[in-house]
Amino acid sequence: MFDIEKQEKNQVNIESNSLSSIEIVETGTTVSKWQDFKDSFKRIEMDELDPSLTDAERVAIATARVPLKRHLKARHVQMIAIGGAIGTGLFVGSGASLRTAGPAGLLIGYGISSSFILCMICALGEMAVEFPVSGGFTTYTTRFVDDSFGFAANFNYALQWLVILPLEIVSASITVNYWGTPKKYRDGFVALFWLVIVSINLFGVKGYGEAEFFFSSCKVLLIIGFIICGICLVCGARGPYVGGKYWHHPYGAFVGDTAGARFKGTMSVFTSAAFAFGGSEMVGLAAAETDNPRKAIPKATKQVFWRLMIFYMVSLTLVGLLVSHKDPRLIGSSSADAAASPFVIALVSHGIKGLPSLFNVVICIAVLSVGNSSVYACSRTLAAFSEQGYAMKWMNLEYIDRAGRPIVGIIITSIFGLLGFVAASNKEGEVFNWLYALFGLSSLFTWGGICLCHIRFRRALSAQNRSTAELSFISPMGVIGSYYGFILILCVLIAEFWVGAWPNGYKEMSSSAIATNFFETYLSLPVLLIAYIGRKIYKKNWKLFIPSDQVDIDTGRREVDLVALKEQIALEKEEMANKNFVIRAYHFWC
């Protein structure tokens, strides 16, 4: 088996080898900064793995010893958790959901989505603390579920972020149109935003962390400001009392004249909610590059609860109270159109001036944030994809340079981002509709896979006569939460299939229009199934799951002395038990 102490020693050596800027050459002069910069792109050489290892052991060891830098601090991880998923899905996409489902349908759809997101992120936090390995949850699927499932999950997640990058770059270029920028300059802004996103990621994980800290801070401050302003407006601070008039006649809390139409309208919210919550799982992916995951990850996962409740549910409740779902301005021209944002409409409708431009600036920041995350997530996923033996060796996807950057993955993701230049094409809408279709339900598949990994992990612990007492962090939702999240996501996927195949008004639609609607909603499922079944056929492995007693639950743990770890956890629990109720409650939820 792999020597964990050797793994830690290798990491120390890697860190020291990267400090070439202070190395002294034989002549006694310091290496130039330019030479240091060039040398930083050289590959870190790792010891060859024992050829006698099984495939499962090789994958576990390769992903555990990956030479990524641990430069993310607690403040980075916590801000990524709080504001990382706040973007155009909330600021603009929620307007389409309000129009198709009504204020009650909007809250029901986002509320149900919030519940399984919370269960998923807590399960992910438990595993990420124990196994802060390359690829995070995409690696867990191979380790805890099955090789073919892992291949499909990795492929799905990498494709998801590859598609998002050009989408977000074009969205960012569209935001400047709000100030009257001519469309002929759009290519220039595409190039500018592409250059900014790629440059941030060339600074390594520290650059990503600092950028996300800034981006997320801006988004969080704007949402808090809107909530305070929205409460004042509902109470009549700028005119007559508003209250819940948009929930009653002649507007209505739901859209549709029949129960079936109202149900379909509510179900349609899940696709936009999945887009809005996309990126919630980034905390788990960042664990491998976190300085102290045992301290930072639990706090970050718990703070997701407050993000869901305050930044999503409270703000969307206020939007439903301030904007009618029949408002024609909700029909925007793009996902980055600030004029179609229900937040902007709420403020403009009640006489608040100046804020629309501020919202447009933050929408631009939000799409840059998502684009930044897409390069980070996709490059790490591609590296883990190769480390698990899924990619061809000549591609060198696992190439990690001396600065800890998966440079080949960054290059591939960045090149794919150049698709953003199709913004100047007459086929722009058609191209991006199908790119979005590839992404559509990918997040739901990812979240369902995380819940399944947690179920399998707990099952492996039980089968090997191990208990949760040895875990540094236990999900507050428990394994029951993962079962709830997994089953609920399956139900949502079934409902989305129904809505895609038989949308509202399908009797008046042509067969080609229905087919287009279905595949624009559900295209990501055939892609996932092809990857899964194709891998099964290639490997000729027809087992559904890895036997629980054969699952590796030790390799890759950052905390290697289980006896000392158990004693430390017991001491921390004893100290917390002696605190008063308020402190214990705060520690549990925050």
Side-chain angles (χ1 to χ4, degrees), residues 67 170 188 220 223 242 293 344 356 360 408 426 431 433 448 451 499 511 528:
V170 171
V220 167
I223 289 293
V242 177
V344 172
N360 200 59
V408 175
N426 293 330
V431 170
N433 280 342
C451 291
V499 172
S511 57
L528 189 73

Side-chain angles (χ1 to χ4, degrees), residues 51-69:
S52 64
L53 294 172
T54 65
D55 287 345
E57 289 172 336
R58 183 192 57 77
V59 169
I61 294 169
T63 54
R65 69 171 191 166
V66 67
L68 296 172
K69 295 299 181 65

